[in-house]
Amino acid sequence: MAVHPQLPNAITIARILCAPVFLWLLLADAGAGGGLRWAAGIVFIVAIATDGIDGYIARRFDIVSDLGKLLDPIADKALTGVAFVGLSILGELDWWVTIVVLVREIGITVYRFMVVSDHVLAAAWMGKLKTVAQAVALSIALLPLASLSDAAVWQSTVWWAGVVTMTIAVVLTIASGIDYVVSEVRGARARRGGR
């Protein structure tokens, strides 16, 4: 089966374009747990799920490109970044969490563009794990699951699920940022040593 070589990149770009649509849905009714909030959560989940699809297609049909390696993590950061900001605007997530995440994400993205002429900084395994953790934590935070039942046990379960998954996501965000820095320092030393 022939697959257009730009299909993975097209999926990645579509994920970037979903970010403003998702943010509008999230903020349109001030975060109320109605239809727009459910729509925002579903758009986020569907869009973030395409991260695995474009990567699978690129590897399966051997059409991995430097552009794809550059755009893929940027698409993830655009989508998760607006989700963190949106939740903080709504007062549902402390701003310090969003700031820590954005500093890491923007810092790595800026660095990617700075070194792109030398080498493409692809997502590492810890960075991918971080993205999965963020996707799970944000999905729980975005979907108005607490509104499904007034039972105290259910409310408590949803709250704890949100706290635990968000904590894991933040820890992995910081750890993966440190991992990128350490790997790049080692790589720079190795490149200098090979000259």
Side-chain angles (χ1 to χ4, degrees):
M1 183 177 79
V3 172
H4 194 283
Q6 291 304 317
L7 178 60
N9 292 342
I11 294 172
T12 302
I13 291 168
R15 188 157 70 254
I16 294 172
L17 296 177
C18 279
V21 175
F22 151 73
L23 185 62
W24 180 85
L25 288 169
L26 179 62
L27 300 178
D29 62 357
L36 288 177
R37 181 63 181 254
W38 280 103
I42 291 167
V43 167
F44 175 84
I45 291 169
V46 170
I48 202 73
T50 65
D51 180 35
I53 296 170
D54 57 11
Y56 170 78
I57 292 172
R59 290 186 299 275
R60 171 71 176 79
F61 296 97
D62 195 26
I63 48 178
V64 176
S65 67
D66 283 346
L67 179 62
K69 289 179 185 177
L70 187 66
L71 285 180
D72 187 63
I74 291 172
D76 296 335
K77 288 170 176 52
L79 195 57
T80 57
V82 297
F84 279 107
V85 169
L87 288 169
S88 291
I89 289 172
L90 294 173
E92 298 177 20
L93 183 66
D94 289 338
W95 273 105
W96 73 263
V97 173
T98 297
I99 290 167
V100 166
V101 171
L102 291 181
V103 165
R104 185 269 188 210
E105 304 293 29
I106 293 170
I108 296 295
T109 301
V110 169
Y111 183 74
R112 272 194 170 95
F113 281 110
M114 287 172 58
V115 301
V116 70
S117 61
D118 183 44
H119 66 285
V120 173
L121 181 61
W125 71 269
M126 193 180 292
K128 292 176 182 177
L129 185 61
K130 174 268 305 178
T131 301
V132 171
Q134 287 183 354
V136 171
L138 288 168
S139 296
I140 292 171
L142 290 166
L143 293 172
L145 298 172
S147 66
L148 295 178
S149 172
D150 291 331
V153 173
W154 174 253
Q155 298 284 329
S156 178
T157 300
V158 171
W159 186 84
W160 276 109
V163 169
V164 170
T165 55
M166 190 61 73
T167 300
I168 292 170
V170 172
V171 169
L172 283 173
T173 297
I174 295 168
S176 63
I178 293 170
D179 181 61
Y180 271 119
V181 171
V182 170
S183 296
E184 279 301 293
V185 169
R186 287 177 180 164
R189 286 177 182 166
R191 286 189 292 273
R192 283 197 302 270
R195 288 173 183 167

